[in-house]
Amino acid sequence: MTLIAVLLAPLSLSAKAPEATKAPEAWSSKMREIQSVLNRLFVDISSDERFNDKKNFKTIEKDTKEFAKLAHDVSGKNANSPDKDPSIGMIASDFAVEADYAAKSYAAGHRAYARVILGSMTNYCIACHTRINSGPSFVGMKIDPRMKGLDPIARGNYFAAIREFDQALGVFEKVSTEEDSARSHLFDYEKALRSGLSIAVRVKRDPDLAIRLVDNAIKNAGVPFYLREQAKDWKKSLVEWKAEKPVAADNIDSLFAEATRLVAKAREIQKFPADRSADMVYLRASGVIHQLLGLEPKGIMGSNALYLAGLSYDVLDDYGVRDFGEFYYRSCIRQSPHTEVAKACYRRYEESVFFGYTGSGGTFIPSDVRARMNDLELLSTPQPTAKATTNPLQ
């Protein structure tokens, strides 16, 4: 049997998702406040002249503190997010921690370090906003004209962070055609290409748009051989996607079946753990999984969905945030303890932890991480009296 074994009962066959509710005004308001402060901070930290001008020191410090406060307002149990996907809580929690680091570092006089942290904060916004195609939109909002002076990739990231996806795509698509960017700044070029594809696949759900980006990379003489070959594999997956019928977005069973199918397909395409040739299929799978998690699937189905999310983000580690895959495995174990799926999630979680803490000097796992591993291992061990459950590894 394959991963598709997770589809076997005890799952209902016709579960309908609850009707979507409109985003609470309070949440939307907080998002707009964050966007406003982020706009001001981005302008100031993007310019050496503005950032190092003593006249701006107090303003930047004030904005950094306000940013940290707003980050806490959208994290925790009282955040009241309209999206029930548990990913939101994890991203928001890390977002608040990093914002605190930036505020405290700046106040302590470590301005350069705070600047680096602030510059990376858009990664959290992008990871959250490009999961699916729902959420508050900031299209048409007034943007500081000084943003035009930003580095193209930084500008594209900023637009993606505030959900100005069309503007972000315009920037990323232009970058994908530039030979000099691919030759001289390959890391940034590849990040821009992946960001554009994430928007095209998960937000726009437009295979033609994604194919256009991939074709740009294939034709770009500055793109190295390995990336062009990956792009050719991506194009095959995108062309196949065009021939498929869309899945009902309000049916939990349909979404679960589609997520399972896509992850199984991606694992068949993937030739070895570090192979990125199945990225487009994993991207599609992660988008479907986020849709599913937003509908709050319960019990074993929910745990299997978390397991599928972990498998996807083990590969798509540069499309999420730090330890994204591990978050899903931990959630899976806690949601369905002492089951086969919990056991499968622990295996992947343990493997990820050991890999992360192993280097040329050996393996050194911090005591608090080791203690958490021990707790999760106990929770993941199936009990003889437990009800039979599906095993996603069979």
Side-chain angles (χ1 to χ4, degrees):
M1 297 178 70
T2 68
L3 184 68
I4 295 180
V6 293
L7 286 173
L8 299 178
L11 307 177
S12 66
L13 298 177
S14 59
K16 280 283 185 177
E19 288 188 20
T21 56
K22 194 174 182 180
E25 185 59 34
W27 178 266
S28 181
S29 177
K30 288 296 181 186
M31 289 295 104
R32 290 180 181 276
E33 289 182 59
I34 289 176
Q35 187 270 341
S36 179
V37 178
L38 183 63
N39 186 89
R40 298 197 300 268
L41 281 171
F42 229 66
V43 167
D44 286 329
I45 67 174
S46 64
S47 163
D48 289 339
E49 182 180 353
R50 286 192 295 271
F51 187 76
N52 294 319
D53 189 337
K54 291 184 177 180
K55 292 186 296 185
N56 295 329
F57 283 11
K58 290 294 183 183
T59 299
I60 296 173
E61 182 173 7
K62 178 183 176 183
D63 284 341
T64 303
K65 288 180 178 177
E66 184 179 353
F67 189 64
K69 178 184 178 301
L70 289 168
H72 277 281
D73 287 345
V74 295
S75 66
K77 295 181 179 179
N78 298 320
N80 196 29
S81 165
D83 190 332
K84 302 306 178 184
D85 182 348
S87 315
I88 300 293
M90 185 267 191
I91 296 172
S93 177
D94 279 8
F95 184 66
V97 169
E98 290 297 299
D100 269 347
Y101 282 153
K104 291 175 181 176
S105 296
Y106 195 94
H110 306 301
R111 298 180 63 256
Y113 180 58
R115 185 185 188 183
V116 171
I117 297 173
L118 290 168
S120 68
M121 293 300 291
T122 55
N123 292 337
Y124 294 92
C125 303
I126 294 170
C128 182
H129 292 163
T130 62
R131 293 171 302 116
I132 51 177
N133 65 350
S134 65
S137 176
F138 300 139
V139 174
M141 289 191 69
K142 185 177 180 181
I143 296 173
D144 194 310
R146 290 176 294 180
M147 285 289 178
K148 294 180 180 179
L150 288 179
D151 171 86
I153 295 174
R155 191 166 69 252
N157 288 337
Y158 172 76
F159 287 139
I162 64 169
R163 300 185 65 86
E164 282 276 5
F165 293 124
D166 289 339
Q167 294 198 59
L169 277 168
V171 173
F172 293 142
E173 186 169 4
K174 185 175 185 301
V175 170
S176 70
T177 66
E178 296 173 350
E179 291 185 23
D180 288 343
S181 293
R183 284 199 178 95
S184 305
H185 306 284
L186 179 59
F187 177 81
D188 290 335
Y189 175 88
E190 192 166 349
K191 185 173 178 58
L193 177 62
R194 292 183 184 280
S195 295
L197 287 168
S198 182
I199 295 172
V201 173
R202 298 197 292 193
V203 179
K204 297 292 187 179
R205 298 178 189 171
D206 186 340
D208 288 318
L209 179 55
I211 288 171
R212 197 163 72 220
L213 287 165
V214 166
D215 277 339
N216 287 343
I218 293 172
K219 296 172 185 176
N220 190 328
V223 170
F225 174 75
Y226 82 88
L227 186 54
R228 288 202 308 273
E229 290 301 296
Q230 284 181 3
K232 291 175 184 178
D233 287 328
W234 297 346
K235 184 173 181 178
K236 291 178 185 176
S237 297
L238 293 168
V239 170
E240 290 177 3
W241 178 22
K242 287 184 63 175
E244 295 176 11
K245 294 181 180 179
V247 174
D250 64 342
N251 188 289
I252 289 177
D253 287 311
S254 296
L255 290 172
F256 181 74
E258 178 68 354
T260 303
R261 181 186 74 83
L262 288 171
V263 172
K265 181 177 181 179
R267 285 160 68 89
E268 289 175 1
I269 294 171
Q270 196 176 10
K271 302 174 184 68
F272 48 89
D275 180 25
R276 304 304 299 265
S277 58
D279 273 20
M280 294 305 101
V281 185
Y282 275 120
L283 259 187
R284 288 182 60 201
S286 65
V288 174
I289 292 165
H290 284 302
Q291 280 183 281
L292 175 62
L293 291 173
L295 301 176
E296 296 186 283
K298 304 297 183 182
I300 293 298
M301 177 188 279
S303 298
N304 275 294
L306 292 166
Y307 175 74
L308 294 174
L311 291 177
S312 299
Y313 280 106
D314 278 349
V315 179
L316 303 175
D317 55 347
D318 44 3
Y319 290 91
V321 295
R322 183 179 53 214
D323 300 331
F324 221 24
E326 291 180 16
F327 162 77
Y328 293 110
Y329 295 136
R330 294 196 303 268
S331 299
C332 158
I333 295 166
R334 292 182 178 121
Q335 178 161 311
S336 296
H338 309 301
T339 61
E340 290 297 329
V341 68
K343 179 181 176 181
C345 284
Y346 179 76
R347 175 184 173 181
R348 301 291 302 203
Y349 169 70
E350 183 184 64
E351 182 180 9
S352 178
V353 171
F354 270 91
F355 180 80
Y357 286 100
T358 298
S360 58
T363 301
F364 299 96
I365 300 176
S367 58
D368 59 330
V369 176
R370 175 72 72 175
R372 182 164 63 182
M373 285 177 64
N374 292 339
D375 291 340
L376 290 171
E377 184 174 15
L378 288 174
L379 281 175
S380 69
T381 305
Q383 294 180 345
T385 57
K387 292 182 179 180
T389 59
T390 54
N391 182 351
L393 292 183
Q394 290 182 341

